[in-house]
C-alpha cells in the first residue's frame, strides 16, 4: 500500500495555519514567517551543483520524491514534494519545496504503461517535473490507428500524462565536438576520457560497432578503434586512441575557442546547456525532461535519455552536451533541425562513464 500522507496534507491545506499556498508555484512557509527569521536558507547553486543536490534529495525522500528542476533565474533548485514532512527535508538541504500531486513512483508507473501499451515508432516520453506529468510526444509519422491508440493510452493515464505533437521525425542523427569518420559515416566526438590509464573518447553507440576504426578526416588514417558500442537500449560507445593523437579535455566552440571540460555532471530540468557538433557546430538551450524513452523505429528504443530544446542535425550524433566545464550528454537523436527547431535527446555522460569504468580527462 502506498503511503502518501494525503489526509494530513489536505487537513493542513484546509486549516491554513501551518501551510500557505502561494500562486501556481506553490511554496511552504510558516504562518508567522513575517515575524521571525526563516529557519533555513535557500542555497544559490550552479546548474551542476543543483543536479548533485537533486540526486541526493531523490535518495533522501524515497517514496515521497516527486522530481526537481533548476530555476536558472534565481539559481536555486525547486523540489517537488507531496507533503510537509518531505518539504522540511528539502528546506533543510537548501532547496525550495513545491507541492504537487504525483510522486515519481506514480509517474514511473505511467511510463511503464506507455512502454507496455504504446511502444510506437515515432514516439517519446519523459518526466517533466515542472508540469508534474509524463509528457508524451508523437512525431509527424504517427498517424491513423497508431495515433488513436496512443491518444487513448495517454487519456487513460489522466492527469499523470499529456500528449504533444512534433513537426519533425525522430531519428538518430548520424550522417555520419569534432568530426569523426568511419567508412562512409560521419559522427561527432563527445568527450575525451581515460580508462585504465589509457586515452579514449566517448561518442554515440549508433555511430558504429565494436571493432570499427575511426579517423579525424574522411579517408584519413585511423586515430582509434571502437572497443565497445551499446545501441539500442543505451546509446554510447568507447573508442581507444591509437598512437600519440592529441587528446585534450576540451570541446571545440567553432569560433577559434575551446571549452575546458573538468568533470561530468547529472542533468537537471532547467539547466542551461550547450551542444557542439560537426554539422551545425555550437547551439544552446536547456534541459526539458529526464529519463526520456525514444522510439526511433525498427526496434530501436533507447531509454534514460536527457530531453532538450537544443537543435541538432545528422552528423551531430555523439557530439558534446555540456554546462560550463561539466560534461553532461552525448547527442543521440531527435526531430527538426537548426532552422525550424525541434527536440534533441542525449545519452547521459555519467551513465557511459560508469559503464565503461572511465573518467573525464
Amino acid at each position: 500500500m502506498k503511503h502518501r500522507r494525503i489526509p494530513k496534507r489536505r487537513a493542513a491545506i484546509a486549516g491554513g495555519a501551518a501551510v500557505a499556498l502561494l500562486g501556481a508555484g506553490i511554496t511552504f512557509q510558516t504562518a508567522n514567517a513575517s515575524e521571525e527569521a526563516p529557519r533555513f536558507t535557500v542555497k544559490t547553486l550552479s546548474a551542476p551543483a543543483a543536479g548533485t543536490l537533486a540526486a541526493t534529495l531523490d535518495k533522501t525522500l524515497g517514496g515521497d520524491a516527486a522530481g526537481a528542476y533548476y530555476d536558472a533565474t534565481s539559481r536555486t533548485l525547486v523540489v517537488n514534494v507531496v507533503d510537509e514532512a518531505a518539504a522540511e527535508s528539502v528546506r533543510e538541504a537548501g532547496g525550495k519545496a513545491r507541492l504537487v500531486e504525483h510522486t515519481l513512483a506514480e509517474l514511473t508507473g505511467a511510463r511503464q504503461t506507455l512502454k507496455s501499451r504504446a511502444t510506437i515508432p515515432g514516439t517519446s516520453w519523459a518526466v517533466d517535473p515542472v508540469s508534474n506529468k509524463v509528457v508524451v510526444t508523437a512525431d509527424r509519422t504517427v498517424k491513423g490507428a497508431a495515433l488513436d491508440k496512443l491518444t487513448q493510452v495517454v487519456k487513460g493515464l489522466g492527469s499523470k500524462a499529456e500528449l504533444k505533437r512534433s513537426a519533425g521525425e525522430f531519428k538518430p542523427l548520424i550522417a555520419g565536438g569534432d568530426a569523426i569518420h568511419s567508412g562512409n559515416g560521419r559522427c561527432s566526438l563527445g568527450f575525451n576520457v581515460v580508462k585504465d590509464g589509457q586515452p579514449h573518447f566517448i561518442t554515440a553507440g549508433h555511430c558504429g560497432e565494436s571493432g570499427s576504426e575511426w579517423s579525424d578526416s574522411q579517408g584519413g588514417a585511423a586515430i582509434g578503434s571502437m572497443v565497445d558500442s551499446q545501441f539500442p537500449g543505451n546509446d554510447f560507445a568507447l573508442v581507444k586512441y591509437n598512437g600519440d593523437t592529441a587528446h585534450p579535455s576540451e570541446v571545440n566552440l567553432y569560433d577559434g575557442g575551446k571549452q575546458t571540460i573538468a568533470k561530468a555532471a547529472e542533468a537537471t530540468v532547467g539547466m542551461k546547456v550547450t551542444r557542439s557538433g560537426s554539422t551545425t557546430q555550437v547551439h544552446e538551450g536547456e534541459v526539458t525532461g529526464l529519463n526520456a524513452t525514444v522510439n526511433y523505429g525498427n526496434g530501436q528504443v533507447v531509454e534514460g535519455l536527457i530531453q532538450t530544446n537544443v537543435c541538432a542535425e545528422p552528423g551531430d550524433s555523439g557530439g558534446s552536451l555540456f554546462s560550463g566545464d561539466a560534461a553532461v550528454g552525448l547527442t543521440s537523436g531527435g526531430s527538426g533541425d537548426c532552422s525550424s527547431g525541434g527536440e534533441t535527446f542525449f545519452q547521459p555522460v555519467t551513465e557511459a562513464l560508469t559503464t565503461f569504468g572511465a573518467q573525464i580527462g
Side-chain angles (χ1 to χ4, degrees), residues 314-339:
D316 287 326
S317 276
S320 320
L321 184 76
F322 56 97
S323 180
D325 66 352
V328 176
L330 304 168
T331 308
S332 175
S335 69
D337 53 41
C338 287
S339 296

